[in-house]
Amino acid sequence: MDNLVLVAATYPDEATATSDYEALKAAEKEGDFSVIGAVVMSRSAAGDVEVKEHGAGPVGAGTVLGAAGGIVVGLFAPPLLLATAVGAGLGAGIGKLVKRHEEKEMGADLEEVMPPGTSAVIAVVNDDYADRVEHALEHAVKKINKAVDKGDYEELVQEIDKQAGKVQDALDS
């Protein structure tokens, strides 16, 4: 877990993204690699983002359902997690991460990866497995990799672990 990478793959529609997400789960189950967490996200034409899949089953195994999704969303675009987390009372810890995001441009730019009317598979993996994840996401129109700071990851995990039920409720809303 020393060298993590965020893999984001963009799709023109939710069905294709979901298909590649399922391919990722199957590849992980059959292969010798693991994914820390992965989600399918869709963005409406109006710009609203919805998390469609959480890291249940093989993808994200060993984590509280919803926590893996929260970690992936938080590392992908901390302001997006903050937008849902504030209502759940998670503002302070997540707020620090958002500030750091703004200062050092961690995470990925939502507009670049997910323009309105598209979907994406977002995964966090050990960088040794990034190529396998990219291979599983074969129908993506665009893919990006971005290194994840271990300290940011650990801080987000701690914050979400403290408030796992609230994060699940926020992600489900």
Side-chain angles (χ1 to χ4, degrees), residues 6 8 13 18 24 88 98 118 122 128 142:
L6 177 82
D13 58 72
T18 300
L24 175 62
V98 171
T118 64
I122 314 296
D128 291 338
K142 180 179 183 178

Side-chain angles (χ1 to χ4, degrees), residues 4-168:
L4 300 178
V5 66
L6 177 82
V7 177
T10 306
Y11 301 85
D13 58 72
E14 182 183 334
T16 308
T18 300
S19 175
D20 267 10
Y21 175 84
E22 294 299 328
L24 175 62
K25 290 191 332 185
E28 181 184 24
K29 188 175 182 180
E30 294 171 8
D32 59 350
F33 70 100
S34 63
V35 175
I36 294 165
V39 296
V40 173
M41 298 169 67
S42 291
R43 190 168 186 205
S44 72
D48 298 323
V49 178
E50 183 178 356
V51 177
K52 299 285 188 173
E53 298 278 347
H54 295 272
V59 175
T63 62
V64 176
L65 181 64
I71 290 164
V72 173
V73 172
L75 291 171
F76 168 63
L80 185 59
L81 182 60
L82 180 64
T84 58
V86 166
L90 297 179
I94 304 299
K96 284 189 227 174
L97 198 62
V98 171
K99 185 173 188 241
R100 199 170 313 134
H101 167 77
E102 292 166 353
E103 291 170 354
K104 67 180 187 178
E105 297 181 4
M106 64 174 262
D109 179 66
L110 183 64
E111 292 299 323
E112 177 187 352
V113 177
M114 286 184 69
T118 64
S119 293
V121 174
I122 314 296
V124 177
V125 298
N126 183 301
D127 68 350
D128 291 338
Y129 306 138
D131 60 334
R132 295 176 195 170
V133 170
E134 282 193 30
H135 181 71
L137 303 176
E138 67 180 320
H139 298 104
V141 174
K142 180 179 183 178
K143 297 176 196 170
I144 65 163
N145 282 341
K146 189 146 190 171
V148 173
D149 182 91
K150 184 179 177 183
D152 292 337
Y153 172 80
E154 290 173 348
E155 194 171 318
L156 185 57
V157 168
Q158 288 173 359
E159 189 65 29
I160 288 176
D161 282 349
K162 280 192 248 178
Q163 311 266 352
K166 290 181 181 179
V167 171
Q168 179 64 47

